[in-house]
Coordinates of all heavy atoms in Angstrom, one line a residue:
M1 N 117.7 19.1 -46.9 CA 117.8 19.3 -45.5 C 119.2 19.6 -45.0 O 120.1 18.9 -45.5 CB 117.3 18.0 -44.8 CG 115.8 17.8 -44.9 SD 115.3 16.4 -43.9 CE 113.9 15.9 -44.8
A2 N 119.3 20.5 -44.1 CA 120.7 20.9 -43.7 C 121.0 20.6 -42.3 O 121.5 21.3 -41.5 CB 120.8 22.4 -43.9
F3 N 120.6 19.4 -41.9 CA 120.9 18.9 -40.6 C 121.4 17.5 -40.6 O 121.2 16.8 -41.6 CB 119.7 19.1 -39.6 CG 118.5 18.2 -40.0 CD1 118.3 17.0 -39.3 CD2 117.6 18.6 -40.9 CE1 117.2 16.2 -39.6 CE2 116.5 17.8 -41.2 CZ 116.3 16.6 -40.5
L4 N 122.0 17.1 -39.5 CA 122.5 15.7 -39.4 C 121.9 15.1 -38.2 O 121.7 15.8 -37.2 CB 124.1 15.7 -39.3 CG 124.8 16.3 -40.5 CD1 126.3 16.4 -40.1 CD2 124.6 15.5 -41.7
I5 N 121.7 13.8 -38.3 CA 121.1 13.1 -37.1 C 122.3 12.2 -36.5 O 123.0 11.5 -37.2 CB 120.0 12.2 -37.6 CG1 118.8 13.1 -38.0 CG2 119.5 11.3 -36.4 CD1 117.6 12.3 -38.6
D6 N 122.4 12.4 -35.2 CA 123.4 11.7 -34.5 C 123.0 10.3 -34.1 O 122.2 10.1 -33.1 CB 123.8 12.5 -33.2 CG 125.2 12.2 -32.7 OD1 125.9 11.4 -33.4 OD2 125.6 12.7 -31.7
C7 N 123.3 9.3 -34.8 CA 123.0 7.9 -34.5 C 124.0 7.4 -33.5 O 125.2 7.5 -33.7 CB 123.0 7.0 -35.8 SG 122.7 5.3 -35.4
P8 N 123.5 6.8 -32.4 CA 124.5 6.3 -31.4 C 125.4 5.1 -31.9 O 126.5 4.9 -31.4 CB 123.6 5.8 -30.2 CG 122.2 5.6 -30.8 CD 122.2 6.5 -32.0
N9 N 125.0 4.5 -33.0 CA 125.8 3.4 -33.5 C 126.7 3.8 -34.7 O 127.8 3.3 -34.8 CB 124.9 2.2 -34.0 CG 124.0 1.7 -32.9 OD1 124.4 1.5 -31.8 ND2 122.7 1.6 -33.2
C10 N 126.2 4.7 -35.5 CA 126.9 5.1 -36.7 C 127.5 6.5 -36.7 O 128.2 6.8 -37.7 CB 125.9 5.0 -37.9 SG 125.0 3.4 -37.9
G11 N 127.2 7.3 -35.8 CA 127.7 8.7 -35.8 C 126.7 9.6 -36.5 O 125.6 9.3 -36.7
R12 N 127.2 10.8 -36.8 CA 126.4 11.9 -37.4 C 126.2 11.5 -38.9 O 127.1 11.3 -39.6 CB 127.1 13.2 -37.3 CG 127.2 13.7 -35.8 CD 128.0 15.0 -35.7 NE 127.3 16.1 -36.3 CZ 126.4 16.9 -35.7 NH1 126.0 16.6 -34.5 NH2 125.9 17.9 -36.4
R13 N 124.9 11.4 -39.3 CA 124.6 10.9 -40.6 C 123.5 11.8 -41.3 O 122.8 12.5 -40.6 CB 124.0 9.5 -40.6 CG 124.9 8.5 -39.8 CD 126.3 8.4 -40.4 NE 126.2 7.8 -41.7 CZ 126.9 6.6 -41.9 NH1 127.6 6.1 -41.0 NH2 126.8 6.1 -43.1
N14 N 123.5 11.8 -42.6 CA 122.5 12.5 -43.4 C 121.1 12.0 -43.1 O 120.9 10.8 -43.0 CB 122.9 12.3 -44.9 CG 122.1 13.1 -45.8 OD1 120.8 13.2 -45.7 ND2 122.8 13.8 -46.7
P15 N 120.1 12.9 -42.9 CA 118.8 12.5 -42.6 C 118.1 11.7 -43.7 O 117.2 11.0 -43.4 CB 118.0 13.8 -42.4 CG 118.9 14.9 -43.0 CD 120.3 14.4 -43.0
Y16 N 118.6 11.7 -44.9 CA 118.1 10.9 -46.0 C 118.3 9.4 -45.7 O 117.7 8.5 -46.4 CB 118.6 11.3 -47.3 CG 118.1 12.7 -47.8 CD1 118.9 13.8 -47.8 CD2 116.7 12.8 -48.1 CE1 118.4 15.0 -48.2 CE2 116.2 14.0 -48.5 CZ 117.0 15.1 -48.5 OH 116.5 16.3 -48.8
E17 N 119.2 9.1 -44.8 CA 119.5 7.7 -44.4 C 118.4 7.1 -43.5 O 118.3 6.0 -43.2 CB 120.8 7.5 -43.8 CG 122.0 7.7 -44.7 CD 123.3 7.5 -44.0 OE1 123.3 6.9 -42.9 OE2 124.4 7.8 -44.6
F18 N 117.6 8.1 -43.0 CA 116.6 7.7 -41.9 C 115.1 7.8 -42.5 O 114.9 8.5 -43.5 CB 116.7 8.7 -40.8 CG 118.0 8.6 -40.0 CD1 119.1 9.2 -40.5 CD2 118.0 7.9 -38.8 CE1 120.3 9.1 -39.8 CE2 119.2 7.9 -38.1 CZ 120.4 8.4 -38.6
R19 N 114.2 7.2 -41.8 CA 112.8 7.4 -42.1 C 112.2 8.0 -40.8 O 112.4 7.5 -39.7 CB 112.2 6.0 -42.3 CG 110.7 6.2 -42.7 CD 110.1 4.8 -43.2 NE 110.1 3.9 -42.1 CZ 109.1 3.8 -41.2 NH1 108.1 4.6 -41.3 NH2 109.1 2.8 -40.3
F20 N 111.4 9.1 -41.0 CA 110.8 9.7 -39.9 C 109.7 8.8 -39.3 O 108.9 8.2 -40.0 CB 110.1 11.0 -40.4 CG 109.4 11.8 -39.4 CD1 110.1 12.5 -38.4 CD2 108.0 11.9 -39.4 CE1 109.5 13.2 -37.4 CE2 107.4 12.6 -38.4 CZ 108.1 13.3 -37.4
G21 N 109.8 8.7 -38.0 CA 108.9 7.8 -37.2 C 107.8 8.5 -36.4 O 107.1 7.8 -35.8
G22 N 107.8 9.8 -36.5 CA 106.7 10.5 -35.8 C 107.1 11.0 -34.4 O 108.3 10.9 -34.0
E23 N 106.2 11.7 -33.8 CA 106.4 12.4 -32.5 C 106.5 11.3 -31.5 O 105.9 10.3 -31.5 CB 105.2 13.3 -32.2 CG 105.0 14.4 -33.2 CD 103.7 15.1 -32.9 OE1 102.9 14.8 -31.9 OE2 103.4 16.0 -33.6
C24 N 107.4 11.5 -30.5 CA 107.5 10.6 -29.3 C 106.3 10.9 -28.4 O 106.1 12.1 -28.0 CB 108.8 10.9 -28.5 SG 110.2 10.4 -29.4
K25 N 105.5 9.9 -28.1 CA 104.4 10.1 -27.2 C 104.2 8.7 -26.5 O 104.5 7.7 -27.1 CB 103.2 10.6 -27.8 CG 102.8 9.9 -29.1 CD 101.7 10.6 -29.8 CE 101.4 10.0 -31.1 NZ 100.4 10.7 -31.9
E26 N 103.6 8.8 -25.3 CA 103.4 7.6 -24.6 C 102.2 6.8 -25.1 O 101.1 7.3 -25.3 CB 103.1 7.9 -23.1 CG 103.2 6.7 -22.2 CD 103.2 7.1 -20.7 OE1 103.7 8.2 -20.4 OE2 102.7 6.3 -20.0
A27 N 102.5 5.5 -25.4 CA 101.4 4.6 -25.9 C 100.4 4.3 -24.9 O 100.8 4.1 -23.7 CB 102.0 3.4 -26.5
P28 N 99.1 4.2 -25.3 CA 98.1 3.8 -24.3 C 98.3 2.3 -23.9 O 99.0 1.6 -24.6 CB 96.8 4.0 -25.0 CG 97.1 4.2 -26.4 CD 98.6 4.5 -26.5
G29 N 97.7 1.9 -22.8 CA 97.8 0.6 -22.3 C 97.1 -0.4 -23.3 O 96.2 0.0 -24.0
P30 N 97.4 -1.7 -23.2 CA 96.7 -2.7 -24.1 C 95.2 -2.7 -23.9 O 94.5 -3.2 -24.9 CB 97.4 -4.0 -23.7 CG 98.1 -3.8 -22.4 CD 98.3 -2.3 -22.3
D31 N 94.7 -2.3 -22.8 CA 93.3 -2.4 -22.6 C 92.6 -1.1 -22.8 O 91.4 -0.9 -22.5 CB 93.0 -2.9 -21.2 CG 93.6 -2.1 -20.1 OD1 94.5 -1.3 -20.4 OD2 93.3 -2.3 -18.9
A32 N 93.3 -0.1 -23.4 CA 92.7 1.2 -23.7 C 91.6 1.1 -24.7 O 91.6 0.2 -25.5 CB 93.7 2.2 -24.2
D33 N 90.6 2.0 -24.6 CA 89.5 1.9 -25.6 C 89.9 2.4 -27.0 O 90.9 2.9 -27.2 CB 88.3 2.7 -25.0 CG 88.5 4.2 -24.9 OD1 89.4 4.7 -25.6 OD2 87.8 4.8 -24.1
L34 N 89.0 2.1 -27.9 CA 89.2 2.4 -29.3 C 89.5 3.9 -29.6 O 90.4 4.3 -30.3 CB 88.1 2.0 -30.2 CG 88.2 2.1 -31.7 CD1 89.4 1.3 -32.2 CD2 87.0 1.7 -32.4
N35 N 88.8 4.8 -28.9 CA 89.0 6.2 -29.1 C 90.4 6.6 -28.7 O 91.1 7.5 -29.3 CB 88.0 7.0 -28.4 CG 86.6 7.0 -29.1 OD1 86.5 6.7 -30.3 ND2 85.6 7.4 -28.4
T36 N 90.9 6.1 -27.6 CA 92.2 6.4 -27.1 C 93.3 5.9 -28.1 O 94.2 6.7 -28.4 CB 92.4 5.7 -25.7 OG1 91.4 6.2 -24.8 CG2 93.8 6.1 -25.1
W37 N 93.1 4.7 -28.6 CA 94.0 4.2 -29.6 C 94.0 5.1 -30.9 O 95.1 5.3 -31.5 CB 93.8 2.7 -29.9 CG 94.5 1.9 -28.9 CD1 93.9 1.2 -27.9 CD2 95.9 1.6 -28.9 NE1 94.9 0.5 -27.2 CE2 96.1 0.7 -27.8 CE3 97.0 2.0 -29.6 CZ2 97.3 0.3 -27.4 CZ3 98.2 1.5 -29.3 CH2 98.4 0.7 -28.2
C38 N 92.8 5.4 -31.3 CA 92.7 6.3 -32.6 C 93.4 7.6 -32.3 O 94.1 8.1 -33.2 CB 91.3 6.5 -32.9 SG 90.5 5.0 -33.7
E39 N 93.2 8.2 -31.2 CA 93.9 9.5 -30.9 C 95.4 9.3 -30.9 O 96.1 10.2 -31.4 CB 93.4 10.0 -29.5 CG 93.9 11.4 -29.3 CD 93.2 12.1 -28.1 OE1 91.9 11.9 -28.0 OE2 93.9 12.7 -27.3
Y40 N 95.9 8.2 -30.3 CA 97.3 8.0 -30.2 C 97.9 7.8 -31.6 O 98.9 8.3 -32.0 CB 97.6 6.8 -29.4 CG 99.0 6.2 -29.5 CD1 100.0 6.9 -28.9 CD2 99.3 5.1 -30.2 CE1 101.3 6.5 -28.9 CE2 100.6 4.6 -30.2 CZ 101.6 5.3 -29.6 OH 102.9 4.9 -29.7
L41 N 97.2 7.0 -32.5 CA 97.7 6.7 -33.8 C 97.6 7.8 -34.8 O 98.4 7.9 -35.7 CB 97.0 5.4 -34.3 CG 97.4 4.1 -33.5 CD1 96.5 3.0 -34.0 CD2 98.8 3.8 -33.7
Y42 N 96.5 8.5 -34.8 CA 96.2 9.4 -35.9 C 96.3 10.9 -35.6 O 96.2 11.7 -36.5 CB 94.8 9.1 -36.5 CG 94.8 7.7 -37.0 CD1 94.0 6.7 -36.4 CD2 95.5 7.3 -38.1 CE1 94.0 5.4 -36.8 CE2 95.5 6.1 -38.6 CZ 94.7 5.1 -38.0 OH 94.7 3.8 -38.4
F43 N 96.4 11.3 -34.3 CA 96.4 12.7 -34.0 C 97.7 13.1 -33.4 O 98.2 12.5 -32.5 CB 95.3 13.1 -33.1 CG 93.9 12.9 -33.7 CD1 93.2 11.8 -33.5 CD2 93.4 13.9 -34.5 CE1 91.9 11.6 -34.1 CE2 92.2 13.8 -35.1 CZ 91.4 12.6 -34.9
N44 N 98.4 14.1 -34.0 CA 99.7 14.6 -33.6 C 99.5 16.1 -33.2 O 98.6 16.8 -33.7 CB 100.7 14.5 -34.7 CG 101.0 13.0 -35.0 OD1 101.3 12.2 -34.1 ND2 100.8 12.7 -36.2
E45 N 100.5 16.5 -32.4 CA 100.4 17.9 -32.0 C 100.8 18.9 -33.1 O 100.4 20.0 -33.2 CB 101.4 18.2 -30.8 CG 100.8 17.6 -29.5 CD 101.5 18.2 -28.3 OE1 101.9 19.3 -28.3 OE2 101.7 17.4 -27.4
N46 N 101.7 18.4 -34.0 CA 102.3 19.2 -35.1 C 102.7 20.6 -34.6 O 102.4 21.6 -35.2 CB 101.2 19.4 -36.2 CG 101.1 18.2 -37.1 OD1 102.0 17.5 -37.3 ND2 99.9 17.9 -37.5
M47 N 103.5 20.6 -33.5 CA 103.9 21.8 -32.9 C 105.0 22.5 -33.7 O 105.7 21.9 -34.5 CB 104.4 21.6 -31.5 CG 105.6 20.7 -31.4 SD 106.1 20.4 -29.7 CE 106.3 22.0 -29.1
S48 N 105.0 23.8 -33.5 CA 106.1 24.7 -34.1 C 107.1 24.9 -33.1 O 106.9 25.5 -32.0 CB 105.5 26.0 -34.5 OG 106.4 26.8 -35.1
G49 N 108.3 24.4 -33.3 CA 109.4 24.5 -32.3 C 110.0 23.1 -32.0 O 109.9 22.2 -32.8
F50 N 110.6 22.9 -30.9 CA 111.3 21.7 -30.5 C 110.3 20.6 -30.1 O 109.4 20.9 -29.4 CB 112.3 21.9 -29.4 CG 113.6 22.5 -29.9 CD1 113.8 23.9 -29.7 CD2 114.5 21.8 -30.5 CE1 115.0 24.5 -30.1 CE2 115.7 22.3 -31.0 CZ 115.9 23.7 -30.8
Q51 N 110.5 19.4 -30.6 CA 109.7 18.3 -30.2 C 110.6 17.0 -30.2 O 111.6 17.0 -31.0 CB 108.5 18.1 -31.0 CG 108.8 17.6 -32.5 CD 107.5 17.3 -33.2 OE1 106.4 17.6 -32.8 NE2 107.7 16.7 -34.4
Q52 N 110.3 16.0 -29.4 CA 111.0 14.7 -29.4 C 110.4 13.9 -30.6 O 109.1 13.8 -30.7 CB 110.8 14.0 -28.1 CG 111.5 14.6 -27.0 CD 113.0 14.3 -27.0 OE1 113.8 15.2 -27.1 NE2 113.3 13.0 -26.9
E53 N 111.2 13.3 -31.4 CA 110.8 12.5 -32.5 C 111.5 11.2 -32.6 O 112.6 11.1 -32.1 CB 111.1 13.3 -33.8 CG 110.4 14.6 -33.9 CD 110.9 15.4 -35.1 OE1 112.0 15.2 -35.7 OE2 110.1 16.3 -35.5
W54 N 110.9 10.2 -33.3 CA 111.6 9.0 -33.6 C 112.0 9.0 -35.0 O 111.3 9.4 -35.9 CB 110.6 7.8 -33.4 CG 110.3 7.4 -32.0 CD1 109.1 7.6 -31.3 CD2 111.2 6.8 -31.1 NE1 109.2 7.2 -30.0 CE2 110.5 6.7 -29.8 CE3 112.5 6.4 -31.1 CZ2 111.0 6.1 -28.7 CZ3 113.0 5.8 -30.0 CH2 112.3 5.7 -28.8
W55 N 113.3 8.5 -35.2 CA 113.8 8.4 -36.6 C 114.4 7.0 -36.7 O 115.1 6.5 -35.8 CB 114.9 9.4 -36.9 CG 114.4 10.8 -37.0 CD1 113.9 11.7 -36.1 CD2 114.2 11.5 -38.3 NE1 113.5 12.8 -36.6 CE2 113.7 12.8 -38.0 CE3 114.4 11.2 -39.6 CZ2 113.4 13.7 -38.9 CZ3 114.1 12.2 -40.6 CH2 113.6 13.4 -40.2
Y56 N 114.1 6.3 -37.8 CA 114.5 4.9 -38.0 C 115.7 4.9 -39.0 O 115.6 5.4 -40.1 CB 113.4 4.1 -38.6 CG 113.8 2.7 -38.9 CD1 114.2 1.8 -37.9 CD2 113.7 2.2 -40.2 CE1 114.5 0.5 -38.1 CE2 114.1 0.9 -40.5 CZ 114.5 0.1 -39.4 OH 114.9 -1.2 -39.7
H57 N 116.8 4.4 -38.6 CA 118.0 4.4 -39.5 C 117.9 3.2 -40.4 O 118.7 2.3 -40.3 CB 119.3 4.4 -38.6 CG 120.5 4.9 -39.3 ND1 121.7 4.9 -38.8 CD2 120.6 5.4 -40.6 CE1 122.6 5.4 -39.7 NE2 121.9 5.7 -40.8
N58 N 117.1 3.4 -41.4 CA 116.8 2.3 -42.4 C 118.0 2.0 -43.3 O 118.1 0.9 -43.9 CB 115.5 2.5 -43.1 CG 115.5 3.7 -44.0 OD1 116.1 4.7 -43.6 ND2 114.8 3.7 -45.1
M59 N 118.8 3.0 -43.6 CA 120.0 2.8 -44.5 C 121.3 2.7 -43.7 O 122.3 2.9 -44.2 CB 120.0 3.9 -45.5 CG 118.8 4.0 -46.5 SD 118.9 5.4 -47.6 CE 120.1 4.8 -48.7
G60 N 121.1 2.3 -42.5 CA 122.3 2.2 -41.6 C 122.1 1.0 -40.7 O 121.9 -0.1 -41.2
C61 N 122.2 1.2 -39.4 CA 122.2 0.1 -38.4 C 120.8 -0.5 -38.2 O 120.7 -1.6 -37.6 CB 122.8 0.6 -37.1 SG 121.8 1.9 -36.3
G62 N 119.7 0.2 -38.6 CA 118.4 -0.4 -38.4 C 117.8 -0.2 -37.0 O 116.9 -0.8 -36.6
D63 N 118.4 0.8 -36.2 CA 117.9 1.1 -34.9 C 117.0 2.3 -35.0 O 117.1 3.1 -35.9 CB 119.1 1.4 -33.9 CG 119.5 0.2 -33.1 OD1 118.9 -0.9 -33.3 OD2 120.4 0.3 -32.3
W64 N 116.1 2.5 -34.0 CA 115.4 3.7 -33.8 C 116.1 4.6 -33.0 O 116.8 4.2 -32.0 CB 114.0 3.3 -33.1 CG 113.1 2.7 -34.0 CD1 112.9 1.3 -34.2 CD2 112.1 3.3 -34.9 NE1 111.9 1.1 -35.1 CE2 111.4 2.3 -35.6 CE3 111.9 4.6 -35.2 CZ2 110.4 2.5 -36.5 CZ3 110.9 4.9 -36.2 CH2 110.2 3.8 -36.8
V65 N 116.1 5.9 -33.4 CA 116.9 7.0 -32.7 C 115.9 8.0 -32.2 O 115.0 8.5 -33.0 CB 117.9 7.6 -33.6 CG1 118.7 8.7 -32.9 CG2 118.9 6.5 -34.2
K66 N 116.0 8.4 -31.0 CA 115.2 9.5 -30.5 C 115.9 10.8 -30.7 O 117.0 11.0 -30.3 CB 114.9 9.3 -29.0 CG 113.7 10.0 -28.4 CD 113.5 9.7 -27.0 CE 112.2 9.0 -26.7 NZ 112.0 8.8 -25.3
V67 N 115.2 11.8 -31.3 CA 115.9 13.1 -31.7 C 115.0 14.2 -31.2 O 113.8 14.2 -31.3 CB 116.0 13.2 -33.2 CG1 116.6 14.5 -33.6 CG2 117.0 12.1 -33.7
R68 N 115.6 15.3 -30.7 CA 114.9 16.5 -30.3 C 115.2 17.5 -31.4 O 116.3 18.0 -31.5 CB 115.4 17.0 -28.9 CG 114.6 18.2 -28.5 CD 114.9 18.5 -27.0 NE 114.1 19.6 -26.5 CZ 114.4 20.9 -26.6 NH1 115.6 21.2 -27.1 NH2 113.6 21.8 -26.1
R69 N 114.2 17.8 -32.2 CA 114.4 18.6 -33.4 C 113.4 19.8 -33.4 O 112.2 19.6 -33.1 CB 114.2 17.7 -34.7 CG 114.4 18.5 -36.0 CD 114.1 17.6 -37.2 NE 112.7 17.2 -37.3 CZ 111.8 17.8 -38.0 NH1 112.1 18.8 -38.7 NH2 110.5 17.4 -38.0
N70 N 113.9 20.9 -33.9 CA 113.1 22.1 -34.1 C 112.4 21.9 -35.4 O 113.0 21.8 -36.5 CB 113.9 23.4 -34.1 CG 113.1 24.6 -34.1 OD1 112.1 24.7 -34.9 ND2 113.4 25.5 -33.2
T71 N 111.1 21.9 -35.4 CA 110.3 21.6 -36.7 C 110.3 22.7 -37.7 O 110.0 22.6 -38.8 CB 108.8 21.3 -36.3 OG1 108.3 22.4 -35.6 CG2 108.7 20.0 -35.5
V72 N 110.8 23.9 -37.2 CA 110.9 25.1 -38.1 C 112.3 25.2 -38.7 O 112.4 25.3 -39.9 CB 110.5 26.4 -37.4 CG1 110.7 27.6 -38.3 CG2 109.1 26.3 -36.8
T73 N 113.3 25.1 -37.9 CA 114.7 25.3 -38.3 C 115.5 24.0 -38.5 O 116.6 24.0 -39.1 CB 115.5 26.1 -37.3 OG1 115.6 25.4 -36.1 CG2 114.8 27.5 -37.0
H74 N 114.9 22.9 -38.1 CA 115.6 21.6 -38.2 C 116.8 21.5 -37.2 O 117.6 20.5 -37.3 CB 116.0 21.2 -39.6 CG 114.8 21.1 -40.5 ND1 113.8 20.2 -40.3 CD2 114.6 21.7 -41.7 CE1 112.9 20.3 -41.3 NE2 113.4 21.3 -42.1
E75 N 117.0 22.5 -36.4 CA 118.1 22.4 -35.4 C 117.8 21.2 -34.5 O 116.7 20.9 -34.0 CB 118.1 23.7 -34.6 CG 119.2 23.7 -33.5 CD 119.1 24.9 -32.6 OE1 118.2 25.7 -32.7 OE2 120.0 24.9 -31.6
I76 N 118.9 20.4 -34.2 CA 118.8 19.3 -33.3 C 119.6 19.6 -32.1 O 120.8 20.0 -32.2 CB 119.3 18.0 -34.1 CG1 118.3 17.7 -35.2 CG2 119.4 16.9 -33.1 CD1 118.7 16.5 -36.0
T77 N 119.1 19.3 -30.9 CA 119.8 19.5 -29.7 C 119.7 18.3 -28.8 O 118.9 17.4 -29.0 CB 119.2 20.7 -28.9 OG1 117.9 20.4 -28.5 CG2 119.2 22.0 -29.7
E78 N 120.6 18.2 -27.8 CA 120.6 17.2 -26.8 C 119.6 17.7 -25.7 O 120.0 18.7 -25.0 CB 122.0 17.0 -26.2 CG 123.1 16.8 -27.2 CD 123.2 15.4 -27.6 OE1 122.8 14.5 -26.8 OE2 123.5 15.2 -28.8
D79 N 118.5 17.2 -25.6 CA 117.5 17.6 -24.6 C 117.5 19.1 -24.4 O 117.7 20.0 -24.0 CB 117.7 16.9 -23.3 CG 117.2 15.5 -23.4 OD1 116.3 15.2 -24.2 OD2 117.8 14.6 -22.7
Ligands
ZN101 ZN1 122.7 3.9 -37.2

């Protein structure tokens, strides 16, 4: 991978220090029905282009980082 992830605690780091956490999306409420939870947990947009993602810095500070990444080119931008 030819991109770096900007961790607010550790600075720009190699993506191999992180674990991909999936697309950013709003979680359903605690009283949502089973179908809503299944859709939230198992169905992703898998879009081509920029999307908001969660990355976990497991070999660094241990924080979750929100990243806007192009799924085709891996370009990372600030919003
Ligand atoms: Zn970090």
Side-chain angles (χ1 to χ4, degrees):
M1 289 188 204
F3 65 98
L4 298 173
I5 294 176
D6 202 6
C7 175
N9 303 315
C10 309
R12 295 173 66 85
R13 308 301 289 242
N14 188 308
Y16 291 108
E17 294 185 10
F18 294 79
R19 184 172 66 85
F20 181 69
E23 300 171 359
C24 292
K25 49 190 174 183
E26 190 169 333
D31 56 345
D33 64 22
L34 184 60
N35 284 342
T36 303
W37 275 104
C38 285
E39 188 170 315
Y40 169 73
L41 292 171
Y42 299 110
F43 294 98
N44 295 306
E45 286 194 37
N46 284 328
M47 64 182 300
S48 177
F50 282 102
Q51 70 175 7
Q52 289 283 116
E53 302 172 335
W54 287 109
W55 288 77
Y56 178 64
H57 201 180
N58 62 326
M59 295 176 74
C61 62
D63 265 2
W64 286 94
V65 179
K66 202 181 242 186
V67 173
R68 185 170 184 270
R69 182 181 66 94
N70 187 314
T71 58
V72 177
T73 65
H74 299 301
E75 178 187 1
I76 292 178
T77 63
E78 310 277 329
D79 286 328

